[in-house]
Short mmCIF file of all heavy atoms in Angstrom, two decimals:
data_model
loop_
_atom_site.label_atom_id
_atom_site.label_comp_id
_atom_site.label_asym_id
_atom_site.label_seq_id
_atom_site.Cartn_x
_atom_site.Cartn_y
_atom_site.Cartn_z
N ARG A 127 -7.80 -13.01 3.07
CA ARG A 127 -8.15 -11.61 3.30
C ARG A 127 -7.35 -10.98 4.43
O ARG A 127 -6.14 -11.00 4.40
CB ARG A 127 -9.65 -11.45 3.50
CG ARG A 127 -10.40 -11.59 2.20
CD ARG A 127 -11.54 -10.65 2.14
NE ARG A 127 -12.23 -10.87 0.87
CZ ARG A 127 -13.38 -10.35 0.59
NH1 ARG A 127 -14.00 -9.59 1.46
NH2 ARG A 127 -13.93 -10.56 -0.57
N PHE A 128 -8.00 -10.46 5.44
CA PHE A 128 -7.31 -9.70 6.48
C PHE A 128 -6.62 -10.58 7.52
O PHE A 128 -5.96 -10.08 8.40
CB PHE A 128 -8.28 -8.72 7.15
CG PHE A 128 -8.67 -7.60 6.23
CD1 PHE A 128 -9.85 -7.67 5.51
CD2 PHE A 128 -7.85 -6.51 6.04
CE1 PHE A 128 -10.21 -6.65 4.63
CE2 PHE A 128 -8.19 -5.49 5.17
CZ PHE A 128 -9.38 -5.56 4.46
N LYS A 129 -6.75 -11.88 7.39
CA LYS A 129 -6.06 -12.80 8.29
C LYS A 129 -4.76 -13.31 7.67
O LYS A 129 -4.03 -14.07 8.30
CB LYS A 129 -6.97 -13.99 8.63
CG LYS A 129 -8.19 -13.56 9.41
CD LYS A 129 -9.10 -14.73 9.65
CE LYS A 129 -10.37 -14.26 10.33
NZ LYS A 129 -11.39 -15.30 10.36
N SER A 130 -4.47 -12.92 6.45
CA SER A 130 -3.27 -13.37 5.76
C SER A 130 -2.01 -12.88 6.48
O SER A 130 -2.03 -11.85 7.16
CB SER A 130 -3.25 -12.86 4.33
OG SER A 130 -4.36 -13.36 3.62
N GLU A 131 -0.93 -13.61 6.29
CA GLU A 131 0.30 -13.36 7.04
C GLU A 131 0.83 -11.93 6.88
O GLU A 131 1.08 -11.23 7.86
CB GLU A 131 1.37 -14.36 6.62
CG GLU A 131 2.64 -14.25 7.42
CD GLU A 131 3.67 -15.30 7.02
OE1 GLU A 131 3.31 -16.32 6.41
OE2 GLU A 131 4.85 -15.08 7.33
N ILE A 132 1.03 -11.48 5.65
CA ILE A 132 1.63 -10.16 5.42
C ILE A 132 0.65 -9.06 5.81
O ILE A 132 1.04 -8.03 6.38
CB ILE A 132 2.11 -10.00 3.97
CG1 ILE A 132 3.18 -11.06 3.67
CG2 ILE A 132 2.65 -8.61 3.72
CD1 ILE A 132 3.52 -11.19 2.21
N VAL A 133 -0.63 -9.26 5.51
CA VAL A 133 -1.66 -8.28 5.88
C VAL A 133 -1.66 -8.10 7.40
O VAL A 133 -1.69 -6.99 7.91
CB VAL A 133 -3.04 -8.73 5.36
CG1 VAL A 133 -4.13 -7.77 5.81
CG2 VAL A 133 -3.02 -8.85 3.83
N SER A 134 -1.59 -9.21 8.12
CA SER A 134 -1.54 -9.15 9.59
C SER A 134 -0.24 -8.51 10.08
O SER A 134 -0.25 -7.71 11.02
CB SER A 134 -1.67 -10.55 10.18
OG SER A 134 -2.93 -11.09 9.88
N GLN A 135 0.86 -8.87 9.44
CA GLN A 135 2.17 -8.32 9.84
C GLN A 135 2.18 -6.80 9.75
O GLN A 135 2.74 -6.12 10.60
CB GLN A 135 3.25 -8.93 8.95
CG GLN A 135 4.64 -8.48 9.28
CD GLN A 135 5.68 -9.10 8.36
OE1 GLN A 135 5.37 -9.70 7.34
NE2 GLN A 135 6.93 -8.95 8.72
N TYR A 136 1.54 -6.26 8.70
CA TYR A 136 1.49 -4.81 8.51
C TYR A 136 0.30 -4.16 9.22
O TYR A 136 0.10 -2.97 9.12
CB TYR A 136 1.48 -4.47 7.02
CG TYR A 136 2.88 -4.38 6.46
CD1 TYR A 136 3.62 -5.52 6.18
CD2 TYR A 136 3.47 -3.15 6.23
CE1 TYR A 136 4.90 -5.44 5.69
CE2 TYR A 136 4.75 -3.05 5.74
CZ TYR A 136 5.46 -4.21 5.47
OH TYR A 136 6.75 -4.12 4.99
N LYS A 137 -0.50 -4.99 9.89
CA LYS A 137 -1.66 -4.51 10.65
C LYS A 137 -2.62 -3.71 9.77
O LYS A 137 -3.18 -2.69 10.20
CB LYS A 137 -1.21 -3.70 11.86
CG LYS A 137 -0.35 -4.52 12.80
CD LYS A 137 0.13 -3.70 13.97
CE LYS A 137 0.96 -4.58 14.88
NZ LYS A 137 2.28 -4.16 15.08
N VAL A 138 -2.82 -4.20 8.55
CA VAL A 138 -3.74 -3.56 7.62
C VAL A 138 -5.16 -4.00 7.99
O VAL A 138 -5.44 -5.19 8.08
CB VAL A 138 -3.40 -3.94 6.16
CG1 VAL A 138 -4.48 -3.46 5.20
CG2 VAL A 138 -2.04 -3.37 5.79
N ARG A 139 -6.03 -3.03 8.18
CA ARG A 139 -7.40 -3.32 8.59
C ARG A 139 -8.43 -2.88 7.55
O ARG A 139 -9.62 -3.16 7.70
CB ARG A 139 -7.69 -2.65 9.92
CG ARG A 139 -6.82 -3.19 11.05
CD ARG A 139 -7.13 -2.50 12.36
NE ARG A 139 -6.25 -2.97 13.41
CZ ARG A 139 -5.19 -2.31 13.84
NH1 ARG A 139 -4.85 -1.16 13.30
NH2 ARG A 139 -4.45 -2.81 14.81
N GLU A 140 -7.96 -2.13 6.55
CA GLU A 140 -8.83 -1.73 5.45
C GLU A 140 -7.98 -1.52 4.22
O GLU A 140 -6.77 -1.32 4.30
CB GLU A 140 -9.62 -0.47 5.81
CG GLU A 140 -8.80 0.80 5.87
CD GLU A 140 -9.65 2.03 6.17
OE1 GLU A 140 -10.87 1.91 6.27
OE2 GLU A 140 -9.08 3.11 6.26
N ILE A 141 -8.64 -1.60 3.08
CA ILE A 141 -7.93 -1.36 1.83
C ILE A 141 -8.71 -0.32 1.03
O ILE A 141 -9.93 -0.19 1.24
CB ILE A 141 -7.72 -2.67 1.03
CG1 ILE A 141 -9.02 -3.37 0.75
CG2 ILE A 141 -6.72 -3.56 1.72
CD1 ILE A 141 -8.90 -4.58 -0.16
N PRO A 142 -8.02 0.40 0.18
CA PRO A 142 -6.59 0.35 -0.09
C PRO A 142 -5.76 0.94 1.05
O PRO A 142 -6.18 1.89 1.71
CB PRO A 142 -6.43 1.20 -1.35
CG PRO A 142 -7.58 2.15 -1.34
CD PRO A 142 -8.71 1.41 -0.65
N THR A 143 -4.61 0.34 1.27
CA THR A 143 -3.60 0.86 2.19
C THR A 143 -2.27 0.82 1.47
O THR A 143 -1.94 -0.17 0.83
CB THR A 143 -3.54 0.01 3.48
OG1 THR A 143 -4.76 0.16 4.21
CG2 THR A 143 -2.38 0.45 4.38
N LYS A 144 -1.52 1.92 1.58
CA LYS A 144 -0.25 2.03 0.87
C LYS A 144 0.85 2.49 1.81
O LYS A 144 0.62 3.31 2.69
CB LYS A 144 -0.38 3.03 -0.27
CG LYS A 144 -1.30 2.57 -1.36
CD LYS A 144 -1.52 3.65 -2.39
CE LYS A 144 -2.44 3.21 -3.47
NZ LYS A 144 -3.59 2.44 -3.04
N PHE A 145 2.05 1.97 1.56
CA PHE A 145 3.25 2.40 2.26
C PHE A 145 4.30 2.73 1.20
O PHE A 145 4.61 1.88 0.36
CB PHE A 145 3.80 1.29 3.16
CG PHE A 145 2.88 0.87 4.27
CD1 PHE A 145 1.99 -0.17 4.10
CD2 PHE A 145 2.90 1.52 5.49
CE1 PHE A 145 1.15 -0.57 5.12
CE2 PHE A 145 2.05 1.13 6.52
CZ PHE A 145 1.18 0.09 6.32
N LEU A 146 4.86 3.93 1.23
CA LEU A 146 5.96 4.30 0.34
C LEU A 146 7.24 4.19 1.13
O LEU A 146 7.37 4.78 2.21
CB LEU A 146 5.78 5.72 -0.20
CG LEU A 146 6.83 6.18 -1.21
CD1 LEU A 146 6.83 5.31 -2.47
CD2 LEU A 146 6.59 7.65 -1.58
N LEU A 147 8.19 3.40 0.59
CA LEU A 147 9.46 3.16 1.28
C LEU A 147 10.60 3.87 0.56
O LEU A 147 10.62 3.94 -0.68
CB LEU A 147 9.78 1.66 1.32
CG LEU A 147 8.68 0.71 1.78
CD1 LEU A 147 9.21 -0.72 1.80
CD2 LEU A 147 8.13 1.12 3.12
N ASN A 148 11.57 4.33 1.32
CA ASN A 148 12.78 4.90 0.73
C ASN A 148 13.76 3.76 0.43
O ASN A 148 13.50 2.60 0.76
CB ASN A 148 13.37 6.00 1.63
CG ASN A 148 13.95 5.48 2.93
OD1 ASN A 148 14.19 4.28 3.13
ND2 ASN A 148 14.19 6.40 3.86
N PRO A 149 14.91 4.07 -0.18
CA PRO A 149 15.86 3.01 -0.53
C PRO A 149 16.43 2.23 0.65
O PRO A 149 16.98 1.15 0.47
CB PRO A 149 16.96 3.76 -1.28
CG PRO A 149 16.30 4.98 -1.83
CD PRO A 149 15.28 5.35 -0.79
N LYS A 150 16.29 2.77 1.86
CA LYS A 150 16.76 2.06 3.06
C LYS A 150 15.67 1.15 3.65
O LYS A 150 15.89 0.52 4.66
CB LYS A 150 17.20 3.05 4.13
CG LYS A 150 18.39 3.89 3.71
CD LYS A 150 18.70 4.92 4.78
CE LYS A 150 19.81 5.84 4.33
NZ LYS A 150 20.02 6.93 5.29
N GLY A 151 14.49 1.14 3.03
CA GLY A 151 13.39 0.33 3.53
C GLY A 151 12.60 1.00 4.64
O GLY A 151 11.84 0.35 5.35
N GLU A 152 12.75 2.30 4.78
CA GLU A 152 12.02 3.06 5.80
C GLU A 152 10.74 3.64 5.19
O GLU A 152 10.74 4.04 4.02
CB GLU A 152 12.88 4.20 6.34
CG GLU A 152 14.15 3.72 7.00
CD GLU A 152 15.20 4.82 7.18
OE1 GLU A 152 15.13 5.86 6.48
OE2 GLU A 152 16.08 4.61 8.03
#
Side-chain angles (χ1 to χ4, degrees):
R127 285 218 182 170
F128 291 96
K129 296 177 185 169
S130 299
E131 184 178 341
I132 300 168
V133 177
S134 295
Q135 181 180 12
Y136 274 77
K137 301 178 178 121
V138 171
R139 296 180 183 101
E140 71 178 357
I141 57 174
T143 293
K144 293 174 181 41
F145 297 92
L146 183 62
L147 311 182
N148 69 15
K150 296 176 185 174
E152 299 163 340

